[in-house]
């Protein structure tokens, strides 16, 4: 068969990490089923992590078409027309990230898989994971964010401009819309392996656990705490100390009802066009906002939640420190130091 490349291009905050862990765990099996998952440097022989974000981003930042093409050519040669090269990098749905792949699209049979999410959830999730760390205020960032993220129509047409119209498969990141039992079942269907799913390992564990946006509201404005948007030290500390106590089934909303509806309204016309083209049987691209899933707090209520959160964080941290000290002391008693001869 002709050389074929499949790019899973995200988008960000649509379960890409789970898909990448799945790819890493199943790389050998996928190889037997006709897919080559490159190592993290877009090569073969190195560590396969399932993600290719940093390798592709280096080429994008340097506008290194030649370097990118060299890596792709080597992968295609390794696949030897017997395998589809499968690359996963959620940064490829970012603005202008498609441009460097124009030669790849001309040379090889290429398709892309894009997961899309309702934009109010997308923006607020991205704020918590990345942008609160380097921006002092949510509303100011949202004004910029809506122009950079969530325009699914533009992402689709941009990629079609380099790999051809009809070569972008659009999937909904929405619980009620997945094929099968969830995201990974849906992804397996997207790459055409539903009939072979019994051969695949779907155990990925908990990936990127959600934390309460009470914590996000506390962090807002404290940009000096973080080196960059990828600095997760504080989040790991909270997760270690709090475990699942930092999140709840009902999300604390950092925006009001009207703001949430307004965010979605900004994308309404674009969403309608994407829906008509890719999901003509649906009334709307995404399920309507269910406001009962959110806690809309006034300033006093938010302050009370913040105090509760900090009190619990301090208390649990002290408990953990004490427990670690006791465990270390018990370990020392159980394993006394070996005396050297003559001491």
């Amino acid at each position: 068969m002709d050389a074929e490349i499949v790019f899973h291009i995200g988008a960000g905050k649509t379960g890409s990490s789970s898909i990448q862990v799945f790819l890493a765990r199943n790389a050998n099996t996928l190889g037997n089923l006709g897919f080559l998952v490159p190592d993290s440097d877009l090569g073969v022989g190195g560590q396969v992590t399932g993600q290719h974000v940093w390798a592709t981003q280096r080429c994008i930042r340097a506008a290194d078409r030649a370097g990118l093409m060299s890596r792709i050519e080597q992968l295609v040669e390794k696949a030897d027309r017997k395998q589809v090269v499968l690359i996963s990098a959620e940064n490829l749905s970012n603005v202008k990230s498609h441009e460097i792949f124009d030669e790849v699209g001309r040379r090889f049979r290429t398709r892309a898989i894009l997961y899309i999410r309702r934009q109010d959830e997308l923006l607020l999730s991205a704020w918590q994971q990345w942008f609160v760390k380097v921006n002092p205020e949510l509303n100011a960032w949202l004004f910029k964010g809506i122009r950079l993220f969530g325009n699914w129509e533009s992402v689709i047409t941009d990629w079609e401009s380099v790999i051809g119209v009809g070569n972008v498969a659009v999937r909904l990141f929405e619980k009620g819309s997945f094929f099968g039992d969830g995201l990974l079942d849906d992804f397996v269907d997207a790459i055409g392996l539903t009939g072979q799913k019994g051969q695949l390992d779907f155990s990925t564990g908990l990936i990127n656990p959600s934390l309460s946006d009470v914590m996000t509201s506390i962090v807002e404005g404290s940009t000096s705490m973080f080196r960059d948007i990828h600095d997760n030290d504080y989040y790991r500390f909270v997760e270690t100390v709090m475990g699942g106590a930092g999140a709840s089934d009902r999300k604390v909303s950092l925006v009001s009802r009207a703001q949430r509806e307004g965010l979605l309204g900004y994308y309404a016309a674009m969403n309608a066009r994407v829906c008509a083209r890719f999901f003509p049987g649906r009334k709307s691209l995404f399920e309507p906002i269910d406001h009962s899933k959110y806690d809309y707090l006034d300033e006093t209520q938010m302050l009370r939640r913040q105090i509760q959160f900090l009190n619990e964080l301090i208390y649990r941290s002290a408990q953990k420190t004490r427990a670690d000290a006791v465990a270390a002391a018990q370990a020392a008693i159980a394993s006394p130091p070996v005396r050297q001869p003559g001491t």
Side-chain angles (χ1 to χ4, degrees), residues 23-42:
L23 292 177
R25 187 177 292 273
N26 290 280
N28 291 334
T29 303
L30 288 168
N32 295 330
L33 294 174
F35 287 87
L36 172 63
V37 181
D39 63 35
S40 60
D41 202 36
L42 284 181

Side-chain angles (χ1 to χ4, degrees), residues 6 40 70 80-82 91 111 139 148 166 181 208 241 257 287 293 301 332 343:
V6 172
S40 60
S70 175
D80 193 26
R81 300 181 184 272
K82 298 175 184 177
N91 58 308
R111 57 193 176 98
N139 288 327
L148 294 174
D181 293 331
N208 290 337
V241 172
R257 289 174 182 242
E287 291 295 322
K293 293 182 178 180
Q301 291 171 322
T343 62

